[in-house]
Amino acid sequence: MKTRKLMLFAALAAAVSVGCTGLEPYEVDAPDDLAQKIAEYQAEQAAKNTDDYTEITLTSTLVGAEDNSSAWWTEFSQYFSVPPGKKLVLEFVNYGSGVNNWNNWNVCVANGERDGDDYSEYFVLRSDCYGWGNADYDGAVIEFDYGGAEVNWDEFREKMQGAYVTMSLDHARAGAAYLEVHSVSPDGTDIVEKYNQPVSATSNVNVFLICDGSHFEMKKAYLVPSEIQEIPDYPAVSMTLANTPVAVALGNEDYWGETVATVQFEDGSSTEVAPEDLYIIEPDMSTVGTKTVVVSYSKTKQGNPGNPVAAYYTFEVTDFATIAVTKLPLSTTYYVYDQPVPFYTEGLEVTGTKSDGSTMVLDNAALVFGAVQPVAGTQEVEIEFSGVKTTCPVMVKMGTEAIGATDYSNGWWTTFLSADKPVAAGESVTVHTFVYSDNLANWHSPCTILRGAALNEYAVVRMDNFGWGTGYDGIAVTECDWNFDTFAANQNMSAVSITVTNNGDNTADIVYNVTYANGESHVQKYRGIAVDSADLQMGIVTEESYVVVLDKAAVDAKLTGIEAVAEAYLIGGSKRLTLSAEGVKVNALYSDGSKIQVETGDFVCSFDQTYLTVYPGIYDHVGAVSYTAASGEEYTAPVTLTVKASDQAAQTEMVGAQDFSNGWWITFSNNWAVPAGTMQTVSMQVGSDNAGNWHSPCVILRKANLDLGADGEYVVVRQDHFGWGGSYAETLASSNWNWDTFMGAINGSKVDITVANSGVGKASIRYHVIDGNGEEHFQYYDNIAVDSADVTFAIVTEESYLIFD
């Protein structure tokens, strides 16, 4: 191989030395000892890879997007494999978004590659003294030194920007990993984090960095011999016992039950100890009465002989004749789909009666419970204590589908809502659920996915004030009222309603309304998530939990207020519109996050100014709405108007004839759609022979299928307070014309026509006119009955012509 390289170099030198015709040949200034130089260089490089030092080639010096947009678990460094007896050292510069403490470096130590068979993680550690991992993970072992000072987390996020990080992972041959990280900020502050835990003593471990709103400039990676010749050992200092039995039936020899023994060591770590590794003084189980179990452990952390630590517990051997439920659980209402669900015991009290008539409250851990069956109505759930049985009544209601597994075995990103729910612009969608959870982590509850129809994700947000995604990172605003000390423990049997609102401006909001089994209510909000409003749908995914989807909220929702919005579109060059009650969408807001649109006529609407000159934009307060609920309570809200330029084709050609020769039902404008919940406005100048009141613009309100003819028309209404059609009888017409001058002032009029579709079966047509004499007038047609899913309008005129703006 060396010879070939030299030959290629020599051939190249010979080729270039002859030059081109007409040019003087030139020589390559190569030393005579070129082969020796190359050999020395190769030897120098090889010297870097010895038993004492092995340099690792960096496949990429940049990890993650430089704008810190890389979401959690989407961008990783290369894998760095660390054999037993070796110490890995990584050097890199850290950059983060500065939004959250965890938007910096994160490191994972695993047994292999992420997509490999039997992949598992020993632990994941963040830069902010937080982590998680397998059964050996122990967060109490993390050491964190903030330059010798108390941690200021606002300051921490600043200091981590541009911090030079030296991270070492020592894989001791005895089977432990020792992580030490020095993050030196630009001002020289050395933020030190240390952690250790058991890993394989015989197999390599894989180390990789993870971005989370962060990125890294990799500088160097190398292996050196382990510095841990012997793993430090620590004596046991105490032992605790949990889940000990309260009562055991006479004849049952199992005094241990579900007891968990945990030993604490001098270094602050702890471990669960199996019964066979303990010395236990067994009680006499042949007689009734109070018994004591004494337990001791006499090994060090590394399993060497050591000073013993002890603990004990007492219980009673009983001969219950009967047992009975003396306090019902906090909740006895269940929502199920097609599988039995676990019985909920929080708050349950079961009392046993002995043969001598005395009583005793049983520990729920000693009881065996039946499951709640997927059958609607009242049922009895069996409760057993050593062959003695009773039942507890429960109410069962049916859901429409379920997500997850009843044994909580479903992993992340494996169980989803059966079909995403589209969320149209300006609309909200609420999914009501009932949650069963193992309560072991905050995220063992429903997560919401916002994405497009092609499954392109905007954001994923959890119930616990945490999310990620291109539309979330650095964009979304969060708000919640959780007590995170109790959050995880209260998830099971919670009623959770999730509402997604498509704001129509390429942002979306998500609101979780949660009611625990104990009746405590909480709200989690995410505002301003960036989405494509024309392509938005919501999905739900859950992990280690079982979520039943309901057709209505599990907890009766309460009316909390109203909101009033109006959405107007300017067709062509129109800049003026006339507001109406039919053009205002009023939603009643409920405590579960759901919204129900209030029928036009059930609210009172007043406008600061009915006729407006507008441009695309948002107008915060153009009027006010009041609504009286069935309870008699009155709610009010301001009207927020959003104005947009319409994407419907403008009328570019004149309608009618300048010589006024056009007869009736001959000359028409375009046909424009009026989607539910919107207003559409057009403006025009009118030329007329002034020979008849109806020689002016008329509006046809009809269905989109023009082949229906008169059968498809709701109304035809003229500018002069006159109309007809299937919906005209109930139409409310009003105007302020001076009929003595009306006909003579049509010519030269400027007319704005606004058509509104309430979205709940009513429409309006409103004319605003500056007539040929300069006088201002209006003609309103309100309360027109329509199918809100199918409303269009066009302008027709007779012996007159219209020039549209």
Side-chain angles (χ1 to χ4, degrees), residues 777-789:
H777 294 279
F778 69 83
Q779 174 67 61
Y780 295 164
Y781 297 97
D782 298 326
N783 199 50
I784 305 169
V786 296
D787 175 359
S788 284

Side-chain angles (χ1 to χ4, degrees), residues 78-366:
Q78 68 194 77
Y79 295 104
F80 299 96
S81 184
V82 189
K86 291 292 185 178
K87 176 181 177 180
L88 170 72
V89 180
L90 300 178
E91 297 181 21
F92 60 92
V93 181
N94 175 85
Y95 297 96
S97 66
V99 176
N100 301 295
N101 297 341
W102 53 86
N103 296 142
N104 292 294
W105 63 257
N106 303 268
V107 63
C108 179
V109 178
N111 67 346
E113 298 188 359
R114 290 180 295 277
D115 297 325
D117 295 337
D118 301 321
Y119 167 80
S120 65
E121 294 158 8
Y122 292 111
F123 62 87
V124 177
L125 200 71
R126 298 191 328 208
S127 63
D128 61 338
C129 192
Y130 184 81
W132 58 89
N134 62 14
D136 290 321
Y137 172 78
D138 188 351
V141 181
I142 299 175
E143 298 179 34
F144 195 74
D145 182 1
Y146 189 63
E150 183 178 349
V151 182
N152 179 320
W153 291 112
D154 291 336
E155 189 180 74
F156 168 84
R157 292 192 290 274
E158 294 179 6
K159 289 183 181 295
M160 289 299 292
Q161 298 304 306
Y164 195 94
V165 181
T166 302
M167 177 183 292
S168 65
L169 190 288
D170 198 327
H171 186 181
R173 291 187 183 277
Y178 290 81
L179 182 74
E180 182 170 337
V181 188
H182 291 261
S183 301
V184 180
S185 68
D187 68 1
T189 303
D190 186 6
I191 303 171
V192 183
E193 190 166 354
K194 298 180 182 180
Y195 177 70
N196 70 86
Q197 84 167 53
V199 297
S200 173
T202 57
S203 300
N204 293 6
V205 298
N206 258 11
V207 178
F208 57 91
L209 301 175
I210 312 162
C211 297
D212 185 4
S214 54
H215 78 278
F216 323 119
E217 289 181 6
M218 305 300 296
K219 297 297 184 181
K220 186 182 291 187
Y222 57 90
L223 292 171
V224 294
S226 171
E227 296 178 1
I228 308 297
Q229 300 302 317
E230 184 177 327
I231 298 177
D233 202 0
Y234 299 95
V237 293
S238 63
M239 179 167 56
T240 56
L241 302 172
N243 300 332
T244 57
V246 172
V248 176
L250 182 64
N252 183 353
E253 298 295 322
D254 183 11
Y255 56 83
W256 188 256
E258 301 297 324
T259 300
V260 175
T262 303
V263 174
Q264 293 79 35
F265 298 98
E266 189 177 67
D267 67 342
S269 64
S270 61
T271 188
E272 290 185 11
V273 180
E276 53 267 28
D277 293 328
L278 299 168
Y279 178 75
I280 303 175
I281 300 177
E282 298 184 348
D284 175 14
M285 300 296 290
S286 63
T287 59
V288 298
T290 301
K291 310 294 179 177
T292 300
V293 178
V294 179
V295 181
S296 63
Y297 183 76
S298 56
K299 294 182 180 180
T300 65
K301 183 175 181 178
Q302 299 302 326
N304 299 312
N307 294 328
V309 291
Y312 72 93
Y313 66 93
T314 61
F315 65 95
E316 187 165 346
V317 175
T318 64
D319 59 345
F320 290 128
T322 62
I323 61 173
V325 174
T326 46
K327 286 184 181 179
L328 291 172
L330 291 176
S331 178
T332 56
T333 300
Y334 291 77
Y335 293 83
V336 301
Y337 182 53
D338 60 354
Q339 298 182 64
V341 295
F343 181 71
Y344 179 67
T345 62
E346 188 70 26
L348 174 72
E349 181 183 273
V350 176
T351 300
T353 301
K354 305 175 189 177
S355 56
D356 63 2
S358 61
T359 61
M360 177 182 178
V361 175
L362 293 169
D363 184 355
N364 288 341

Side-chain angles (χ1 to χ4, degrees), residues 440-524:
L440 296 181
N442 290 352
W443 51 91
H444 295 179
S445 49
C447 298
T448 305
I449 311 163
L450 293 189
R451 55 191 175 189
L455 303 186
N456 49 302
E457 287 174 18
Y458 306 119
V460 180
V461 300
R462 301 191 322 209
M463 199 166 80
D464 63 335
N465 204 52
F466 185 84
W468 60 90
T470 56
Y472 180 91
D473 297 327
I475 299 171
V477 177
T478 69
E479 177 187 344
C480 67
D481 61 356
W482 298 115
N483 177 351
F484 283 108
D485 292 337
T486 61
F487 180 100
N490 282 315
Q491 292 174 108
N492 190 34
M493 296 286 283
S494 288
V496 180
S497 294
I498 307 170
T499 298
V500 173
T501 299
N502 183 341
N503 297 318
D505 59 356
N506 291 330
T507 69
D509 302 332
I510 300 175
V511 178
Y512 283 77
N513 283 273
V514 181
T515 302
Y516 291 153
N518 63 11
E520 191 177 307
S521 295
H522 292 279
V523 176
Q524 171 70 61

Side-chain angles (χ1 to χ4, degrees), residues 484-737:
F484 283 108
D485 292 337
T486 61
F487 180 100
N490 282 315
Q491 292 174 108
N492 190 34
M493 296 286 283
S494 288
V496 180
S497 294
I498 307 170
T499 298
V500 173
T501 299
N502 183 341
N503 297 318
D505 59 356
N506 291 330
T507 69
D509 302 332
I510 300 175
V511 178
Y512 283 77
N513 283 273
V514 181
T515 302
Y516 291 153
N518 63 11
E520 191 177 307
S521 295
H522 292 279
V523 176
Q524 171 70 61
K525 298 179 181 179
Y526 298 93
R527 303 292 191 195
I529 300 170
V531 300
D532 179 355
S533 285
D535 180 23
L536 178 63
Q537 53 190 33
M538 71 173 293
I540 295 176
V541 61
T542 193
E543 176 183 8
E544 295 185 40
S545 53
Y546 183 68
V547 176
V548 177
V549 180
L550 315 177
D551 58 1
K552 62 180 181 180
V555 175
D556 289 337
K558 298 178 181 179
L559 179 62
T560 59
I562 62 172
E563 66 177 6
V565 296
E567 189 173 21
Y569 289 83
L570 306 175
I571 298 173
S574 181
K575 295 183 177 61
R576 297 168 294 277
L577 61 87
T578 304
L579 299 172
S580 67
E582 289 83 358
V584 176
K585 181 178 179 181
V586 178
N587 290 320
L589 308 178
Y590 290 86
S591 57
D592 65 351
S594 60
K595 301 178 182 181
I596 298 177
Q597 189 171 350
V598 179
E599 296 279 348
T600 305
D602 290 346
F603 60 85
V604 176
C605 189
S606 61
F607 300 106
D608 299 338
Q609 183 181 353
T610 304
Y611 177 67
L612 299 176
T613 299
V614 292
Y615 298 89
I618 297 175
Y619 300 80
D620 288 329
H621 197 308
V622 297
V625 166
S626 61
Y627 169 67
T628 303
S631 63
E633 190 169 0
E634 185 171 309
Y635 297 88
T636 61
V639 178
T640 299
L641 170 66
T642 300
V643 179
K644 300 178 181 180
S646 175
D647 59 4
Q648 298 191 74
Q651 179 67 40
T652 56
E653 296 181 357
M654 182 177 67
V655 175
Q658 284 186 303
D659 62 359
F660 312 129
S661 60
N662 51 306
W664 173 245
W665 213 253
I666 295 175
T667 50
F668 302 86
S669 72
N670 295 341
N671 201 62
W672 293 293
V674 189
T678 72
M679 294 180 286
Q680 309 284 328
T681 184
V682 293
S683 300
M684 67 207 73
Q685 299 178 46
V686 180
S688 174
D689 61 7
N690 288 351
N693 288 351
W694 53 92
H695 296 179
S696 52
C698 299
V699 178
I700 313 162
L701 195 65
R702 56 190 175 187
K703 296 182 178 180
N705 185 355
L706 304 187
D707 292 338
L708 294 173
D711 291 337
E713 294 169 7
Y714 298 115
V715 294
V716 179
V717 293
R718 301 192 320 210
Q719 188 173 296
D720 63 337
H721 202 80
F722 184 83
W724 60 89
S727 297
Y728 190 74
E730 296 180 2
T731 297
L732 302 176
S734 58
S735 64
N736 67 344
W737 296 114

